[in-house]
């Protein structure tokens, strides 16, 4: 395929993640977008969890039981002449590492905020990652059909707490029981809320008066909204496409995903301003452009047992350049091995399509027999490519783990190795006895680990909590095993590198005073 053809196909891709605090409505908005793409025929409401009609993107059993997303799903569909790749991310704080890696694989982000609650801790954390990457962020203020906070307060909080300029693309006319519609600044019209039916659009004249709708013109709530719009026009931020592209200005949309109000208006505007796939930096500081002929991509996630009927492992790859073709040979940078990619899939949450070709921006799944690790780069051609390293969080919670049934050591070891390779938890071993210790960012990761070990590997595990620890790596040539004590346990990571697990800050300070020449590092 020529560079020109690649450029044409790349330019139709829109790859984004949806980020939010738990319960802000991320899964519901994902469903509405799938509905527009003709992928699902009906969007399940939150209540559908009782009927077994779960959201397409919440495919793991524990997610369906608890109503949270704990893994990142990938969904692809065509809409409005574009190929959409949505990466649904865990809203739960304990899974921020998985989300962090997912955000390295997207070109923009959609931030969903509950209009009754405003900015919540997890939203703030995820926003900062997007800001650090300099990717565009589009904001959807959700749950307008319920009583929420004053829209001006929400915009003010967005700007002060997140440190970003906001440009409201529309403005609510009432909310909750008094919701009448939204004043669409961008399209210069009013979108009237008609409950379950299709929204009715009313055009506005140059003075923001409704055309052919005298009843709306006299409506008190509409007049109030029009005053707010005048205020925004005079004192608010100017619409600036260049600032949107760098993530310095976020377009804000009000609506309700549950009743599918304002979602289409938002999505159509999003597709107009969201970027096509961009260049990716390599470890050596070069950049790889999406329309380069040489194929390249990186593994940002590994997931085992996505389909309980088939024991499988899938490596999720973000394509950065060139074209993927089924059966092609690629180089794996880490091992310098050649691999043939013959069994590859694209995603519609729990249904999968075999893929024959894909280009930059697309996410493909490689059936993996143990070749891949998170962060791996694959490429074709003679010129080696290694993309920037993916971030890994230092765990704060630790447990000792062992198999309940000594006779089932084989399935215990297999399960642990697979789940650790996925990045679900991090594995350490005590330095001398090689007992297994697991590290995680939050408690829920351990619960999911225990659940999956039992359900997917038929292995019951004992987990003995060790509590919060501060993990610090140490250079092997500076290490003396006698430095270890009950307050600073000596362990080694998967690569065999030694580290201490300190009981608290006091224990770490005491260690530094006793061994001033030993360098402690937060992450190797």
């Amino acid at each position: 395929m020529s560079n020109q053809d690649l450029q044409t196909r790349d330019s139709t891709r829109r790859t984004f993640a949806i980020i939010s605090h738990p319960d802000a409505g991320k899964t519901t908005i994902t469903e509405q977008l799938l509905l527009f793409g003709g992928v699902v025929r009906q969007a399940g409401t939150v209540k559908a969890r009782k009927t077994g009609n779960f959201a397409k993107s919440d495919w793991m059993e524990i997610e369906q039981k608890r109503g949270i997303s704990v893994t990142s799903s990938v969904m692809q569909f065509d809409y409005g002449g574009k190929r959409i790749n949505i990466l649904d991310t865990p809203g739960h704080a304990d899974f921020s590492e998985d989300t962090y890696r997912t955000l390295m694989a997207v070109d923009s982000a959609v931030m969903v905020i509950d209009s009754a609650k405003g900015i919540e801790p997890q939203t703030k954390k995820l926003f900062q990652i997007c800001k650090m990457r300099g990717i565009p962020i589009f904001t959807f203020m959700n749950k307008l059909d319920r009583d929420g906070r004053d829209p001006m307060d929400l915009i003010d909080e967005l700007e002060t707490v997140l440190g970003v300029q906001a440009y409201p693309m529309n403005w609510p006319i009432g909310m909750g029981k008094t919701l009448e519609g939204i004043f669409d600044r961008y399209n210069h019209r009013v979108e009237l809320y008609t409950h379950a039916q299709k929204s009715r659009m009313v055009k506005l004249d140059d003075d923001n008066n409704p055309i052919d709708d005298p009843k709306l013109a006299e409506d008190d709530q509409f007049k109030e909204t029009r005053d707010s719009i005048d205020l925004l026009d005079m004192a608010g931020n100017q619409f600036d496409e260049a600032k949107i592209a760098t993530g310095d200005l976020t377009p804000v949309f009000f609506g309700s995903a549950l009743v599918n109000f304002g979602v289409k208006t938002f999505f159509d505007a999003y597709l107009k301003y969201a970027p096509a796939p961009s260049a990716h930096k390599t470890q050596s500081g070069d950049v790889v452009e999406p329309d380069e002929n040489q194929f390249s991509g990186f593994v940002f996630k590994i997931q085992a047992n996505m389909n309980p009927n088939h024991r499988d492992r899938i490596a999720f790859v973000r394509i950065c350049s060139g074209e993927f073709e089924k059966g092609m040979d690629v180089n794996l940078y880490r091992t310098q091995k050649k691999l043939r990619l013959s069994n590859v899939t694209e995603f519609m949450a729990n249904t999968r399509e075999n893929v024959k070709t894909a280009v930059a921006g697309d996410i493909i799944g490689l059936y993996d027999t143990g070749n891949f690790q998170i962060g791996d780069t694959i490429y074709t051609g003679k010129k080696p490519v290694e993309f920037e390293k993916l971030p890994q969080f230092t765990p704060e919670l630790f447990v000792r783990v062992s198999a309940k049934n000594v006779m089932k050591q084989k399935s215990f070891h297999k399960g642990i190795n697979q789940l650790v390779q996925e990045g679900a938890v991090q594995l350490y071993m005590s330095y001398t006895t090689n007992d297994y210790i697991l590290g995680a960012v939050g408690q829920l990761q351990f619960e999911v680990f225990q659940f999956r070990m039992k359900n997917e590997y038929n292995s019951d595990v004992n987990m003995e909590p060790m509590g919060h620890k501060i993990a610090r790596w140490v250079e092997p040539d500076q290490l003396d095993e006698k430095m270890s004590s009950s307050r600073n346990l000596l362990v080694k990571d998967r690569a065999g590198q030694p580290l201490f697990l300190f009981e608290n800050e006091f224990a770490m300070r005491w260690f530094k005073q006793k061994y001033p020449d030993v360098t402690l590092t937060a992450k190797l």
Side-chain angles (χ1 to χ4, degrees):
M1 189 183 279
S2 72
N3 286 51
Q4 188 59 49
D5 290 342
L6 272 174
Q7 216 167 0
T8 307
R9 278 182 68 183
D10 295 345
S11 67
T12 65
R13 272 32 186 194
R14 294 293 180 274
T15 304
F16 67 96
I18 301 182
I19 60 173
S20 77
H21 197 83
D23 291 332
K26 176 170 57 67
T27 302
T28 318
I29 200 166
T30 305
E31 282 198 332
Q32 294 296 356
L33 301 183
L34 295 178
L35 199 61
F36 300 153
V39 180
V40 292
R41 286 195 185 85
Q42 66 168 96
T45 69
V46 177
K47 295 187 181 98
R49 297 194 184 284
K50 291 174 186 160
T51 65
N53 181 14
F54 298 114
K56 274 261 189 202
S57 56
D58 285 351
W59 55 263
M60 197 191 283
E61 195 182 337
I62 193 167
E63 299 185 331
Q64 295 177 353
K65 281 182 178 170
R66 297 182 66 159
I68 50 170
S69 302
V70 293
T71 51
S72 313
S73 311
V74 177
M75 285 143 285
Q76 186 180 67
F77 60 91
D78 294 328
Y79 174 80
K82 302 279 192 285
R83 169 66 55 92
I84 314 295
N85 293 294
I86 304 181
L87 278 68
D88 185 23
T89 58
H92 201 283
D94 291 359
F95 289 85
S96 47
E97 188 170 358
D98 196 25
T99 306
Y100 205 136
R101 291 191 293 252
T102 297
L103 291 172
M104 305 307 277
V106 299
D107 302 305
S108 59
V110 170
M111 178 165 64
V112 180
I113 293 171
D114 183 334
S115 60
K117 293 176 180 169
I119 306 296
E120 296 175 272
Q122 184 67 355
T123 324
K124 187 178 175 183
K125 211 170 172 183
L126 298 173
F127 172 84
Q128 282 160 347
I129 298 164
C130 297
K131 192 89 176 84
M132 201 175 72
R133 282 206 59 215
I135 59 174
I137 300 154
F138 297 78
T139 303
F140 188 80
M141 295 283 185
N142 195 20
K143 304 191 182 181
L144 203 54
D145 59 316
R146 300 178 190 178
D147 289 330
R149 288 169 52 187
D150 178 73
M152 283 291 184
D153 284 352
L154 290 166
I155 297 293
D156 183 52
E157 183 183 54
L158 186 69
E159 295 197 326
T160 50
V161 174
L162 299 184
V164 64
Q165 293 179 3
Y167 179 87
M169 301 287 271
N170 61 26
W171 203 253
I173 306 170
M175 62 170 56
K177 289 190 175 70
T178 66
L179 176 64
E180 288 177 42
I182 45 180
F183 188 113
D184 188 342
R185 285 175 91 192
Y186 177 68
N187 293 302
H188 202 63
R189 66 188 183 192
V190 169
E191 186 173 341
L192 290 174
Y193 178 49
T194 53
H195 297 269
Q197 295 147 12
K198 197 177 173 188
S199 303
R200 185 164 74 83
M201 306 296 177
V202 177
K203 287 188 175 153
L204 299 167
D205 65 19
D206 293 343
D207 296 320
N208 289 339
N209 295 312
I211 297 170
D212 300 330
D213 196 329
K215 190 181 168 198
L216 180 64
E218 293 306 313
D219 184 276
D220 287 341
Q221 279 198 146
F222 171 74
K223 287 177 181 173
E224 201 178 305
T225 300
R226 194 170 51 188
D227 291 344
S228 299
I229 295 292
D230 290 342
L231 184 65
L232 289 168
D233 288 344
M234 282 190 301
N237 295 311
Q238 297 298 305
F239 184 81
D240 187 330
E241 212 173 321
K243 281 186 176 177
I244 292 172
T246 53
D248 293 311
L249 179 83
T250 178
V252 181
F253 302 81
F254 288 84
S256 168
L258 191 64
V259 295
N260 195 10
F261 179 64
V263 182
K264 188 176 183 303
T265 303
F266 148 71
F267 198 46
D268 288 343
Y270 164 80
L271 289 181
K272 187 169 179 189
Y273 294 105
S278 53
H280 273 77
K281 282 185 190 159
T282 65
Q283 200 62 14
S284 60
D286 296 332
V287 292
V288 174
E289 296 291 344
D291 59 354
E292 287 181 25
N293 272 323
Q294 185 179 353
F295 167 83
S296 67
F298 63 89
V299 177
F300 65 92
K301 172 184 170 62
I302 291 173
Q303 183 75 55
N305 306 323
M306 286 178 71
N307 182 343
N309 303 325
H310 310 283
R311 288 280 178 247
D312 60 2
R313 228 172 86 107
I314 287 182
F316 290 67
V317 173
R318 154 72 192 234
I319 300 178
C320 299
S321 69
E323 182 183 27
F324 162 80
E325 286 174 333
K326 189 178 176 179
M328 76 193 296
D329 290 333
V330 298
N331 304 305
L332 176 56
Y333 182 87
R334 180 175 43 83
T335 61
Q336 289 299 305
K337 270 189 191 164
K338 255 196 172 11
L339 299 170
R340 177 155 290 178
L341 306 182
S342 46
N343 205 349
V344 182
T345 182
E346 279 181 320
F347 304 95
M348 177 34 244
N350 52 4
T351 57
R352 306 190 201 153
E353 310 294 327
N354 278 333
V355 58
K356 292 185 176 60
T357 65
V359 295
D362 286 339
I363 309 292
I364 55 172
L366 308 179
Y367 285 90
D368 179 26
T369 52
N371 292 312
F372 296 108
Q373 290 181 13
I374 288 167
D376 273 345
T377 298
I378 54 174
Y379 64 94
T380 57
K382 291 195 169 66
K383 185 185 166 195
V385 178
E386 185 191 15
F387 289 111
E388 283 184 311
K389 296 245 184 295
L390 293 185
Q392 210 182 25
F393 286 8
T394 303
E396 294 165 13
L397 282 178
F398 294 85
V399 295
R400 282 193 177 84
V401 65
S402 57
K404 268 187 186 170
N405 186 340
V406 186
M407 305 303 288
K408 287 192 175 175
Q409 289 288 345
K410 196 177 170 188
S411 57
F412 171 72
H413 287 289
K414 184 185 176 185
I416 276 205
N417 282 327
Q418 292 227 354
L419 294 179
V420 165
Q421 279 176 325
E422 275 186 31
V425 284
Q426 291 182 39
L427 178 66
Y428 304 90
M429 282 181 275
S430 57
Y431 204 74
T432 45
T433 59
N434 283 345
D435 290 342
Y436 280 173
I437 293 168
L438 299 180
V441 177
Q443 182 60 33
L444 185 63
Q445 276 176 274
F446 293 139
E447 288 176 36
V448 171
F449 170 82
Q450 197 167 18
F451 178 90
R452 290 185 65 188
M453 285 292 284
K454 184 176 172 60
N455 280 46
E456 295 169 20
Y457 301 98
N458 196 23
S459 174
D460 283 305
V461 296
N462 292 315
M463 290 170 81
E464 182 196 328
M466 296 168 67
H468 278 265
K469 304 277 179 202
I470 302 167
R472 291 293 181 267
W473 276 256
V474 60
E475 292 297 335
D477 57 1
Q478 294 186 330
L479 178 68
D480 181 341
E481 286 180 38
K482 294 193 184 84
M483 293 172 177
S484 179
S485 74
S486 60
R487 301 182 65 184
N488 57 300
L489 296 176
L490 178 59
V491 300
K492 54 190 169 188
D493 63 17
R494 271 173 76 203
Q497 294 292 329
L499 64 148
F500 286 109
L501 301 181
F502 290 98
E503 195 173 62
N504 50 33
E505 290 280 353
F506 176 78
M508 190 162 71
R509 279 200 303 273
W510 183 87
F511 181 91
K512 282 177 179 173
Q513 284 165 3
K514 191 171 181 184
Y515 305 106
D517 298 335
V518 176
T519 310
L520 297 175
T521 347
K523 196 79 200 153
L524 271 190

